[in-house]
Amino acid sequence: RKMTPPLVTMLSAEPEIQYVVMRNINLIVQKQPHILQSDIRMFVCKYNDPLYVKLEKIAVMVQCASERNIDQVLGEFREYASEVDIEVVRHSVRAIGQAAIKVERAAERCVDCLLELIKTKVNYVVQEAIVVIRDIFRKYPGKYEIIISDLCENLENLDEPD
């Protein structure tokens, strides 16, 4: 509780300081994710955040994802998946998959979100989503095989190997 106000203050500093703060927050939430789960809004990416800060914020949001805040986290990731920056889009799609694996009760919502993104037919989104869904299949065998037909319909959007 005492940590949050100074962190919020430091997150409004220059991008370099934000990055150092985010790296430290990432280390903290790896060990104690519950500490900042209710403060997910302070990790929302701003349009003018540099790429390295955005990627760190996405990583921290994955670490803080829980049943209580998954809808807010998923909403943010879905929004980032329509960004101009391809790297942010790829990381946000990956983050949706990581959230599905981390928060089992939200896995179905995450898979639905990934299917929506696949239907955009943007090649790098489809590529990243298929890789992420592979990991979800491994975590939950036999549970989401019904989406394979949707995946197959979008295979023509795979043009660059990863």
Side-chain angles (χ1 to χ4, degrees):
R1 230 177 290 159
K2 292 179 181 179
M3 275 182 12
T4 307
L7 290 174
V8 171
T9 303
M10 293 180 84
L11 284 176
S12 60
E14 305 79 60
E16 295 80 8
I17 292 175
Q18 283 183 39
Y19 179 73
V20 172
V21 171
M22 289 306 302
R23 291 294 296 168
N24 283 288
I25 289 172
N26 198 342
L27 291 172
I28 292 167
V29 296
Q30 283 177 25
K31 295 288 182 190
Q32 302 288 325
H34 63 279
I35 289 177
L36 296 170
Q37 280 177 343
S38 60
D39 298 308
I40 214 77
R41 71 188 178 286
M42 74 180 184
F43 306 123
V44 172
C45 296
K46 296 176 186 75
Y47 74 95
N48 59 347
D49 281 342
L51 176 64
Y52 56 93
V53 172
K54 286 182 180 179
L55 298 182
E56 206 55 45
K57 285 182 175 183
I58 290 170
V60 169
M61 287 176 78
V62 170
Q63 293 290 334
C64 291
S66 68
E67 287 180 32
R68 282 192 0 247
N69 64 19
I70 193 67
D71 290 325
Q72 185 181 7
V73 170
L74 262 182
E76 288 300 320
F77 292 158
R78 190 179 297 122
E79 193 175 314
Y80 304 156
S82 61
E83 278 243 350
V84 179
D85 191 327
I86 294 174
E87 199 62 29
V88 173
V89 172
R90 286 185 180 276
H91 274 79
S92 61
V93 171
R94 225 174 278 150
I96 293 169
Q98 292 168 336
I101 290 168
K102 182 176 184 205
V103 185
E104 189 170 347
R105 288 192 179 171
E108 190 167 339
R109 281 179 278 171
C110 294
V111 168
D112 291 343
C113 183
L114 289 167
L115 284 174
E116 285 174 33
L117 292 172
I118 287 171
K119 289 175 183 169
T120 64
K121 298 193 183 295
V122 177
N123 65 354
Y124 53 88
V125 173
V126 172
Q127 293 162 9
E128 202 63 49
I130 287 176
V131 170
V132 164
I133 288 174
R134 175 201 62 196
D135 296 335
I136 293 171
F137 283 159
R138 288 180 178 159
K139 170 77 177 181
Y140 308 108
K143 194 165 184 184
Y144 298 107
E145 264 114 24
I146 195 154
I147 67 170
I148 291 176
S149 61
D150 290 327
L151 295 177
C152 291
E153 289 172 17
N154 290 284
L155 286 179
E156 71 272 3
N157 293 314
L158 296 177
D159 62 356
E160 56 181 71
D162 257 1

